[in-house]
Amino acid sequence: EAEVAQSPRYKITEKSQAVAFWCDPISGHATLYWYRQILGQGPELLVQFQDESVVDDSQLPKDRFSAERLKGVDSTLKIQPAELGDSAMYLCASSPGQGAEAFFGQGTRLTVV
Amino acid sequence: QQQVKQSPQSLIVQKGGISIINCAYENTAFDYFPWYQQFPGKGPALLIAIRPDVSEKKEGRFTISFNKSAKQFSLHIMDSQPGDSATYFCAARGGTASKLTFGTGTRLQVTL
């Protein structure tokens, strides 16, 4: 069964350091999402890609967060510098197209110390 | 601004009982209402979804009830099992290009 792959599964980093997460969507899925899920809350969209183009990054803290999907396949989310409040689960999801069902990966649990 | 309100925050149900989780929304442009199930350490998985042109959708032991006029929808889990113990999120989306807005989640525990 096809899955959304994310790495690493867990990451501990010191504040002010840079950190990056990687996502490989299900093959053929044109839409890719990055969500942040703070413990005890629902996921919140950070950025949405359609192929290699950003569709929605209105909730992405652009002073420290960046995301790219250069070839329209896998994607990287970067935080620099990390802050204590960035501790959360970072979820990647993909779908065949906008409006279709989204499939989530297992996430990257980030702890900033 | 929280556009999807979910209750209760946590729920304990005995095995065989009915679990009911409620959500309310404000944005009348929402036209797709999914429920996700999330186990610890895993990403959310789609459980069941409904569109506002129907008032109820049933898949196995899971039923969504939808009240468009009240802008409310709920998830009913019949014959709840210990394996159903997880966190459940309702969500809503308006139009094909817009994002999913999630509720705050309900932690369900089904006891023996």
Side-chain angles (χ1 to χ4, degrees):
Chain A
E1 183 176 318
E3 293 183 343
V4 176
Q6 289 189 248
S7 66
R9 288 290 313 279
Y10 305 93
K11 180 70 177 179
I12 300 175
T13 190
E14 293 184 346
K15 64 180 181 179
S16 79
Q17 295 299 303
V19 63
F21 315 128
W22 178 79
C23 171
D24 190 12
I26 294 172
S27 178
H29 280 196
T31 308
L32 186 147
Y33 311 83
W34 282 102
Y35 282 85
R36 177 170 61 186
Q37 184 176 21
I38 296 171
L39 191 64
Q41 298 183 20
E44 292 183 306
L45 182 71
L46 291 174
V47 61
Q48 177 183 341
F49 289 92
Q50 181 66 25
D51 299 310
E52 68 275 8
S53 300
V54 173
V55 173
D56 184 351
D57 64 355
S58 58
Q59 299 303 309
L60 188 71
K62 300 181 186 63
D63 57 335
R64 297 184 301 107
F65 285 65
S66 64
E68 59 182 17
R69 194 184 184 199
L70 294 177
K71 297 182 179 179
V73 181
D74 59 336
S75 176
T76 302
L77 178 69
K78 297 179 181 177
I79 308 175
Q80 181 174 19
E83 296 181 352
L84 295 177
D86 296 331
S87 295
M89 174 80 86
Y90 290 83
L91 294 162
C92 179
S94 71
S95 67
Q98 297 183 76
E101 177 185 347
F103 296 85
F104 284 82
Q106 295 199 64
T108 295
R109 168 73 66 188
L110 172 67
T111 302
V112 182
V113 297
Chain B
Q1 182 184 3
Q2 183 185 357
Q3 296 191 50
V4 181
K5 296 183 180 180
Q6 183 171 346
S7 63
Q9 189 172 18
S10 62
L11 182 61
I12 300 175
V13 174
Q14 281 194 331
K15 179 182 176 181
I18 302 173
S19 303
I20 302 174
I21 304 170
N22 301 298
C23 282
Y25 63 97
E26 299 172 356
N27 189 344
T28 55
F30 287 151
D31 62 1
Y32 174 69
F33 303 88
W35 284 89
Y36 284 82
Q37 180 188 56
Q38 185 175 29
F39 292 104
K42 304 290 187 181
L46 180 66
L47 194 60
I48 187 172
I50 197 169
R51 295 193 182 274
D53 53 344
V54 297
S55 60
E56 185 175 283
K57 183 175 182 180
K58 183 176 181 179
E59 290 184 2
R61 297 185 293 109
F62 301 92
T63 300
I64 298 179
S65 296
F66 187 83
N67 186 330
K68 187 175 181 178
S69 61
K71 293 189 284 186
Q72 296 175 347
F73 58 111
S74 59
L75 176 69
H76 296 235
I77 306 174
M78 311 300 287
D79 187 27
S80 298
Q81 299 295 312
D84 296 330
S85 297
T87 299
Y88 292 81
F89 293 95
C90 62
R93 186 181 69 204
T96 58
S98 65
K99 63 183 180 183
L100 278 171
T101 298
F102 284 84
T104 51
T106 296
R107 190 169 183 175
L108 171 65
Q109 182 182 354
V110 181
T111 61
L112 293 172

